Amino acid sequence: MATVSEQTVSERLDRLYGNPPGFAGWLSAVNHRQVGARLIVTAFIFFLLGGIESVLMRTQLAQANLDVLSPEAYNQFFTMHGTTMMFLFAVPMVEGLGAYLVPLMLGARDMPYPRLNAFGYWCFLFGGIFLYSSFLFGMAPDGGWFAYVPLTGPVHSPGLNMDFWLLGISFVEISAIIAAIEIIVAVIKTRAPGMSANRIPLFVWGELVTALMIVVAFPALLAGSVFLELDRKIGTHFYNALEGGSSLLWQHLFWIFGHPEVYIIFLPAAGIVSMIIPTFAQRPVVGYTLVALSTVAIGFMSFGVWVHHMYAMGIPFLSLAFFASASIMIAIPSGVQIFAWIATIWTGRSVFKTPFLWILGFFVIFVLGGLTGVMVAVVPFDLQVHDTYFIVAHFHYVLIGGMVFPMFGGFYYWFPKLTGKLLGEGLGKLNFWTFFVGFNLTFFPMHITGLLGMPRRVYTYQRGLGWEVLNLLSTVGSYILALSVAIFLWNVFASLRSGTPAGPNPWNAGTLEWATDSPPKNYNFLEIPTVSGRYPLWEEQDIYSGEDIDARANAYLVQPHHLHRATQGTTPLYAETDGIIRLPQPSMLPLLLGFGIAVVFGSILVNLIVPAVLGAIWSLVIITIWLWPHEGDFVE
Amino acid sequence: MSYRPLDTRSVRPPAEDAEDHRTVDWWGLIFLIVVILAFFSSVMFSFFFLRFNAEQWPPASIERPTLLLPTIATLTLLASCLPLIWMQRVLGKGERPRFNVGLGLNTGLSVAFLAILIVSLSMLDFGATTNAYGSAFIVTVGFLVVLAIAGLYVGAIVQARAWKGHFNGPRHVAVTSLSTYWYVLTAMWMVVYVSLYLLPYIE
Ligand code: HEM
Ligand SMILES: [Cu+2]
């Protein structure tokens, strides 16, 4: 029988899983690492845009009665800043990290629906461009990131501003839901043989619970947005109190989504922490089961907490008490995670490299943010500080502490996997310390400005209220933050040009993504590994010594006459091989479908019926082609 | 290291005769249904939120919708599920012509359901812009109409594939997916039928 050398197999598979050549090939890419990297880079660009908006706001507030931004511009800026950070940065970023890393951690060659994955990316990109194009027309949304009605209804916001917001956000939500389904099914079906549920890396647990929350929570906002857009465009009365509607309905629908949103952002970030700490303590995480279970618990509880955003709205007292205790309850599983992390650091031999530093920064800030959060959860206190800068300070401590710090830690940690080069340590430490100092200088004083009574969302303030020094400090802090981000970008460019080559596993980590090359070959794993513990690379056993059926699956995946992409299918709980999952080739369909939907949304925006119908027909045609099986798709 | 072809028959892509849960298509459908149900729950939540917010529901100026046509539509929809059950059974026995007939029957009854429903909607004496009741009513029913049309559209594709002879194994995930989607749709319609049409008569 003919045999083939490993090198031939590698070259052949690399071609099979790579892109077709040229620009068209680039547009038709469906590989999870390409889609993931695009999500990460695009989300980071939106982070920069949101950051620029916030620095301009801080400049306007540096002193009393400044004139940098007009009141209208200020409204647009805080709305676009909040919207960008929540919808265009945080969620796509955690999903992008998931799209890139989850299959590598699971030992798979790609995600289960690569074309859908690419479609999700195009929806995100088009939705983001859609939202930002409003600036070109001077009609950027200005109703705040939670877009409360009646302010955002047809009577009070007759311009197109809120239509940009509603349509753009819906577009981005579709993309988030798609990416979430992708991640869930990847975790259920494509784990390496032997990776039973109690061996799934904790980052993947975080991504999984987040994805499940997205699938349940985002449709609520989608429904709310559809109602509001209908109210605005065709004159329905969902939120019109005069005709029996209710503006409280919007608030419920928004916060059914909005509260879980905070944990949707936080759980994958906590997953990053749970990956970095064991690596830099050089020991398995303490209390794996407890951490995984509390991840699930936080996911469940976060749905019960939504009403605490509406304390000031007059909800009957009994349910108030219930929701107050639920808000505090969530502190318990969060606490469990924190203790597990501390115990891991305590009992390990810590290596203080840059990724680890970011995680320590996360600890400090997150604990502070958690404390103020418990304060906010106490009902009477909430009424006191409601809509002041205390709240602004609180949620930035939670969001930046809980998500941005771990994210930067994750960047330093996985950058070598993405590019093959390490980021500079010296610049990294400078990056960290400027960020840490800048962050605290920006947001700590806001607690006090808030207690002194400064309301949020004001474009300026009067002299002599004792707010000037504190505001100036915040503004200086935000400049230091901007400088820190610039240092990071410099670090990235320097590393890409002349960084130290990383090798497959620069940190001596234990999970599967480090078994691949840096950057991984197009096919990720030549053979699908077999897992016998939580840290396969730290185990004695060879990861390529599976059962007979695993060997046969691998033989299938590398066989010479094998002409289409595929990855291993395993059972949901115990991850036993139960087949091969056939994957599609690169395709233009995702881009074409995204384009069709963008045409529909754009036409709705400006009330054009004919293009809307044409766009819909175009989309239907694409869907039909997509669903129609190709030659040989199911005959072997 | 070098590779030599091994016997890989047992680990091929789960094709025509695989159990559903081995395929990712099936799992994708499950979570698509989860998304649809989450959306539907929000719609129903909104309906009841507005209802309990109102003094009278439907408002005094409005006739409650009549029951005759919606009830016929409901029965038609329930009837459209029967050929699906039958069709899966005959597909299991490999009787392809009868399978095609079953699929056709289902499509026919579904179209009838939609037609009757739309006629009944056009006979209402209120519209989506009359008041909040009208908005909630029309949009809730409209959402199911859209889902039904989407189901029919995908059903048409499955049908075309059936006539081309794509389904010759004892089972096929495209077929089970379509039926599952239709059962879920029927269940959602029952919720809508009870809450929007029957409830005003019971109270
Ligand atoms: C990086 C530095 C950042 C600075 C200097 C900053 C600064 C600000 C400022 C000045 C406001 C407006 C306060 C007001 O007038 O009411 C604001 C609002 C907000 N920020 Fe940030 N922010 C930053 C990062 C972030 C991040 C990373 C997120 C989320 C992940 C975020 C989410 C929000 C939200 C949701 C609002 C509320 C918007 C609204 O009122 O509708 N911010 N921020
Ligand atoms: Cu909250």
Side-chain angles (χ1 to χ4, degrees):
Chain A
M1 230 180 231
T3 65
V4 211
S5 77
E6 178 167 333
Q7 200 192 350
T8 331
V9 172
S10 165
E11 278 164 13
R12 199 165 41 77
L13 288 183
D14 207 39
R15 236 175 302 125
L16 175 61
Y17 287 79
N19 270 345
F23 185 59
W26 191 80
L27 290 179
S28 63
V30 295
N31 182 301
H32 79 97
R33 281 183 302 103
Q34 229 138 1
V35 175
R38 285 175 192 181
L39 277 167
I40 293 172
V41 171
T42 314
F44 197 81
I45 293 175
F46 282 118
F47 175 67
L48 297 180
L49 288 173
I52 293 172
E53 284 149 10
S54 70
V55 166
L56 283 170
M57 282 191 288
R58 281 315 321 167
T59 309
Q60 161 70 18
L61 295 176
Q63 289 181 338
N65 297 321
L66 284 187
D67 219 2
V68 182
L69 295 174
S70 67
E72 296 77 38
Y74 191 87
N75 288 349
Q76 299 185 346
F77 271 58
F78 75 66
T79 302
M80 285 302 278
H81 165 77
T83 305
T84 304
M85 289 299 191
M86 300 305 267
F87 294 101
L88 302 181
F89 158 64
V91 174
M93 180 60 85
V94 297
E95 291 194 322
L97 288 168
Y100 195 101
L101 293 169
V102 164
L104 290 175
M105 290 183 182
L106 298 181
R109 290 214 175 140
D110 205 333
M111 297 193 109
Y113 321 106
R115 290 182 300 183
L116 201 61
N117 212 9
F119 173 62
Y121 171 73
W122 296 117
C123 285
F124 164 53
L125 182 68
F126 292 152
I129 294 176
F130 194 90
L131 205 56
Y132 264 81
S133 66
S134 62
F135 272 121
L136 297 180
F137 305 99
M139 290 195 275
D142 52 6
W145 86 279
F146 37 67
Y148 274 2
V149 288
L151 179 66
T152 52
V155 180
H156 298 278
S157 300
L160 287 182
N161 310 47
M162 282 318 296
D163 300 309
F164 273 112
W165 191 90
L166 289 163
L167 293 165
I169 290 304
S170 301
F171 215 166
V172 172
E173 272 169 32
I174 294 172
S175 127
I177 291 173
I178 287 172
I181 294 183
E182 192 85 46
I183 288 172
I184 296 170
V185 180
V187 178
I188 292 179
K189 275 309 291 175
T190 66
R191 307 201 305 272
M195 190 183 283
S196 47
N198 59 346
R199 290 175 182 162
I200 299 175
L202 287 170
F203 175 75
V204 177
W205 269 113
E207 288 281 342
L208 175 65
V209 175
T210 280
L212 288 167
M213 288 165 75
I214 288 179
V215 163
V216 180
F218 274 44
L221 180 57
L222 208 51
S225 309
V226 170
F227 296 162
L228 185 50
E229 191 60 12
L230 287 173
D231 270 13
R232 297 175 54 85
K233 284 289 178 196
I234 68 165
T236 55
H237 302 289
F238 284 98
Y239 306 118
N240 180 1
L242 295 178
E243 292 289 351
S246 161
S247 52
L248 205 56
L249 174 61
W250 168 265
Q251 305 198 12
H252 276 294
L253 291 174
F254 187 89
W255 287 116
I256 289 174
F257 142 85
H259 199 91
E261 161 86 350
V262 176
Y263 298 92
I264 282 170
I265 296 171
F266 167 65
L267 286 179
I272 296 178
V273 177
S274 298
M275 301 303 281
I276 293 183
I277 286 182
T279 297
F280 288 91
Q282 286 291 301
R283 58 151 296 153
V285 72
V286 174
Y288 169 92
T289 314
L290 281 177
V291 176
L293 284 180
S294 60
T295 306
V296 178
I298 292 174
F300 270 108
M301 283 184 184
S302 66
F303 281 94
V305 203
W306 97 82
V307 179
H308 88 159
H309 293 272
M310 309 205 311
Y311 282 148
M313 314 273 14
I315 288 164
F317 181 75
L318 196 75
S319 61
L320 255 184
F322 168 75
F323 284 109
S325 54
S327 299
I328 294 177
M329 282 267 285
I330 217 163
I332 296 171
S334 314
V336 168
Q337 299 206 332
I338 292 184
F339 281 118
W341 292 328
I342 292 179
T344 312
I345 297 175
W346 204 276
T347 53
R349 290 156 288 139
S350 293
V351 190
F352 287 90
K353 290 276 178 56
T354 309
F356 194 52
L357 216 52
W358 285 97
I359 302 309
L360 295 180
F362 150 80
F363 268 133
V364 175
I365 288 162
F366 190 67
V367 169
L368 277 176
L371 286 181
T372 51
V374 173
M375 283 164 77
V376 180
V378 180
V379 180
F381 188 80
D382 191 34
L383 295 175
Q384 178 79 34
V385 297
H386 185 74
D387 271 349
T388 70
Y389 261 86
F390 190 90
I391 298 289
V392 178
H394 161 61
F395 67 68
H396 282 94
Y397 264 79
V398 173
L399 290 170
I400 299 186
M403 189 260 170
V404 178
F405 272 79
M407 174 193 83
F408 273 112
F411 283 169
Y412 278 88
Y413 184 59
W414 282 299
F415 188 84
K417 183 50 60 187
L418 269 79
T419 66
K421 307 266 183 68
L422 290 162
L423 283 168
E425 272 293 310
L427 279 175
K429 296 221 158 90
L430 191 64
N431 180 194
F432 169 77
W433 283 112
T434 43
F435 203 91
F436 189 80
V437 170
F439 170 76
N440 283 297
L441 192 59
T442 311
F443 293 103
F444 192 78
M446 285 188 195
H447 287 109
I448 309 170
T449 12
L451 289 174
L452 290 178
M454 177 159 166
R456 63 191 284 202
R457 297 180 168 178
V458 288
Y459 77 100
T460 193
Y461 50 92
Q462 298 304 315
R463 247 179 278 277
L465 294 167
W467 302 349
E468 283 128 310
V469 178
L470 293 165
N471 269 303
L472 187 62
L473 285 179
S474 287
T475 303
V476 172
S478 72
Y479 293 163
I480 299 180
L481 275 177
L483 175 73
S484 175
V485 175
I487 294 174
F488 173 73
L489 289 177
W490 175 249
N491 203 352
V492 168
F493 285 120
S495 160
L496 288 179
R497 270 186 44 215
S498 54
T500 326
N505 191 358
W507 317 111
N508 188 25
T511 40
L512 279 183
E513 76 270 31
W514 302 103
T516 61
D517 293 335
S518 300
K521 290 274 190 341
N522 286 328
Y523 51 76
N524 289 354
F525 298 88
L526 191 64
E527 282 185 48
I528 305 299
T530 299
V531 167
S532 56
R534 287 177 189 142
Y535 297 90
L537 307 190
W538 289 347
E539 313 271 329
E540 298 285 303
Q541 206 175 333
D542 180 13
I543 58 171
Y544 297 111
S545 61
E547 316 240 325
D548 175 49
I549 183 158
D550 306 329
R552 274 183 289 137
N554 274 323
Y556 180 91
L557 289 170
V558 298
Q559 64 188 269
H561 57 79
H562 171 89
L563 287 173
H564 52 76
R565 300 179 180 199
T567 191
Q568 195 142 351
T570 49
T571 57
L573 267 185
Y574 297 106
E576 287 155 353
T577 301
D578 74 349
I580 298 290
I581 295 167
R582 180 74 81 77
L583 301 169
Q585 298 297 320
S587 159
M588 282 289 198
L589 293 175
L591 176 59
L592 296 178
L593 183 58
F595 172 74
I597 296 178
V599 170
V600 173
F601 279 28
S603 317
I604 295 178
L605 178 77
V606 288
N607 302 324
L608 288 175
I609 308 277
V610 176
V613 172
L614 289 179
I617 293 175
W618 165 276
S619 306
L620 278 181
V621 171
I622 304 284
I623 291 175
T624 312
I625 303 175
W626 190 319
L627 291 180
W628 195 261
H630 297 278
E631 271 327 297
D633 245 11
F634 53 98
V635 260
E636 183 77 11
Chain B
M1 201 172 177
S2 65
Y3 292 95
R4 181 164 61 77
L6 269 181
D7 177 19
T8 57
R9 246 167 308 173
S10 58
V11 285
R12 294 217 160 151
E16 293 148 46
D17 50 354
E19 305 95 39
D20 301 321
H21 63 84
R22 285 180 55 195
T23 68
V24 289
D25 298 11
W26 173 253
W27 286 101
L29 174 83
I30 299 286
F31 287 98
L32 175 68
I33 290 177
V34 171
V35 172
I36 292 177
L37 285 179
F39 193 93
F40 179 65
S41 314
S42 306
V43 173
M44 290 315 293
F45 168 82
S46 308
F47 183 85
F48 281 104
F49 187 86
L50 294 175
R51 174 197 171 99
F52 290 116
N53 202 34
E55 274 164 23
Q56 210 185 347
W57 190 266
S61 57
I62 281 183
E63 282 284 313
R64 3 173 228 198
T66 52
L67 277 183
L68 181 64
L69 281 182
T71 308
I72 298 179
T74 307
L75 293 175
T76 318
L77 182 63
L78 285 172
S80 77
C81 289
L82 296 177
L84 290 178
I85 301 171
W86 178 70
M87 162 190 118
Q88 272 181 307
R89 194 159 316 148
V90 294
L91 182 62
K93 296 197 196 122
E95 301 177 41
R96 266 214 299 127
R98 295 170 82 190
F99 162 78
N100 290 2
V101 171
L103 200 54
L105 261 178
N106 163 264
T107 313
L109 287 167
S110 316
V111 172
F113 157 74
L114 264 180
I116 302 172
L117 187 61
I118 291 173
V119 169
S120 86
L121 284 179
S122 70
M123 285 159 56
L124 294 173
D125 71 337
F126 58 86
T129 56
T130 313
N131 49 30
Y133 169 78
S135 309
F137 190 100
I138 301 287
V139 171
T140 307
V141 178
F143 173 56
L144 271 111
V145 170
V146 170
L147 286 184
I149 292 175
L152 278 174
Y153 189 72
V154 177
I157 297 179
V158 172
Q159 194 119 40
R161 292 183 54 187
W163 289 106
K164 289 194 75 178
H166 278 186
F167 309 119
N168 32 29
R171 47 192 297 135
H172 197 288
V173 62
V175 177
T176 30
S177 299
L178 185 69
S179 343
T180 309
Y181 178 86
W182 204 254
Y183 300 147
V184 172
L185 184 82
T186 307
M188 289 191 320
W189 172 258
M190 292 316 292
V191 174
V192 170
Y193 176 68
V194 172
S195 344
L196 270 63
Y197 291 96
L198 278 189
L199 224 53
Y201 286 89
I202 294 170
E203 284 169 333

